[in-house]
């Protein structure tokens, strides 16, 4: 039985990422980092709108004051749509102009957790940050090749974050003030590909996208693999639960570095058989 369907549209993403469900807008958002563009799928009518962005955009999150906040190459800024308006950037790394934002999410406390990486993927210059609702940056971890994730356990005690280049998913103890006690949670093998974007379901299991692995996998809270769902795209990048009941899973993919294909760079809806957790909202 096929557990996925490809969402039909005219444009394939070069580097689809940043999967986000926004209950307020009844919409699923995702980015095309390299286009650069922000995509919106309105669930009420299935309409897809693509908004051109002024710089590479790695992620977006809902903002309590309205609109979105997004991680651009040169920092975090507010985003308003219809029409597009971009606010002033807040950049934790003005001393690293070769870096860009890659992946990020808001937590239940209203903060943003996001990572950076070398745009050329040559230097080990990425770091993992927390941006408080007051706009203060905190370095959580450093020396990353490619930052990815993050994801939060539904109990609120654990944060998962990835260094894709090292094929490693870390777990941190987390609270309203920050994260601590990093430990290796899962290591991918070469056959697995590279761990990319992640989310958790309501049962506390971690779902991970396999870049160069052509699938998504579900891992138990103890790190053991529960199951995998194969997809026709090779470079799977991110996952989010969506819909009124958080029972619709959307999965993004990338076409960069691959021959032209109808599957690579497409958006998928997957029948995961479980429900997800509400997305956090940035309170800054």
């Amino acid at each position: 039985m096929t557990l996925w369907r490809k969402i039909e549209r005219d444009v394939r993403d070069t580097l689809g990422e940043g999967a986000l469900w926004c209950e307020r807008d009844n919409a699923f958002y995702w980015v095309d980092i390299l286009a650069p563009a922000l995509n919106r799928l309105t669930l009420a009518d299935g309409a897809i709108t693509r908004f051109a962005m002024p710089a590479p955009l790695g992620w977006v999150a809902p903002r309590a004051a309205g609109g979105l906040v997004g991680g651009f190459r040169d920092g975090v800024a507010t985003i308003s749509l219809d029409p597009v308006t971009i606010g002033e950037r807040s950049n934790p790394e003005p001393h690293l102009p070769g870096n860009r934002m890659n992946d990020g999410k808001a937590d239940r406390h209203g903060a943003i957790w996001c990572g950076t990486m070398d745009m050329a993927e040559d230097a080990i210059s990425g770091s993992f940050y927390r941006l408080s609702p007051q706009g203060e940056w905190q370095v959580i971890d450093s020396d990353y090749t490619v930052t990815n994730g993050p994801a939060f356990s539904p109990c609120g005690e654990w944060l998962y974050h990835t260094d894709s280049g090292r094929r490693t998913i870390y777990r941190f103890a987390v609270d309203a003030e920050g994260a601590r006690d990093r430990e290796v949670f899962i290591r991918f093998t070469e056959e697995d590909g590279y761990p990319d974007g992640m989310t958790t379901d309501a049962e506390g299991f971690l779902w991970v996208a396999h870049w160069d692995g052509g699938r998504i996998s579900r891992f138990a809270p103890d790190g053991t693999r529960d199951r995998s769902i194969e997809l026709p795209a090779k470079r799977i990048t991110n996952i989010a639960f969506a819909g009124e009941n958080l029972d619709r899973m959307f999965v993004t993919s990338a076409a960069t570095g691959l021959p032209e294909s109808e599957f690579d760079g497409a958006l998928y809806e997957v029948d995961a058989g479980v429900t997800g957790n509400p997305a956090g909202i940035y309170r800054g």
Side-chain angles (χ1 to χ4, degrees), residues 217-236:
S217 291
R218 185 184 193 231
F219 294 89
D222 64 2
T224 58
R225 193 186 310 249
D226 174 68
R227 59 190 168 101
S228 295
I229 298 174
E230 294 187 1
L231 293 162
K234 181 178 182 181
R235 294 184 165 169
I236 308 301

Side-chain angles (χ1 to χ4, degrees), residues 44-205:
D45 57 8
I48 295 177
T49 308
R50 188 170 170 93
F51 302 92
M53 290 288 115
L57 176 66
W59 55 268
V60 291
R63 186 168 175 251
L68 305 168
V69 60
F72 289 91
R73 175 173 182 172
D74 52 352
V76 172
T78 58
I79 302 174
S80 298
L81 302 176
D82 305 312
V84 173
T85 305
I86 311 297
E88 184 178 350
R89 310 285 207 278
S90 174
N91 187 359
E93 297 180 341
H95 58 294
L96 295 173
N99 272 12
R100 67 167 174 84
M101 290 280 172
N102 192 50
D103 206 354
K105 288 188 178 79
D107 67 13
R108 65 177 62 190
H109 304 291
I112 292 288
W113 299 78
C114 56
T116 59
M117 60 175 283
D118 178 34
M119 187 81 175
E121 299 186 34
D122 292 329
I124 303 174
S125 59
S127 291
F128 185 35
Y129 293 93
R130 178 183 181 271
L131 176 62
S132 75
Q134 294 75 37
E136 299 167 343
W137 288 101
Q138 176 186 3
V139 180
I140 302 298
D141 205 6
S142 57
D143 295 326
Y144 281 76
T145 57
V146 179
T147 55
N148 260 308
F152 310 97
S153 65
C155 68
E157 297 179 359
W158 304 108
L159 170 113
Y160 305 99
H161 190 244
T162 290
D163 189 332
S164 296
R166 293 189 171 99
R167 303 183 197 264
T168 301
I169 300 171
Y170 300 109
R171 187 175 72 170
F172 296 79
V174 67
D175 55 30
E177 301 302 320
R180 62 193 181 279
D181 303 330
R182 188 189 85 173
E183 62 181 354
V184 173
F185 185 60
I186 298 166
R187 288 195 191 277
F188 271 30
T189 66
E190 186 173 349
E191 190 274 334
D192 288 326
Y194 300 86
D196 207 310
M198 306 182 289
T199 193
T200 55
D201 63 33
E203 298 175 7
F205 285 63

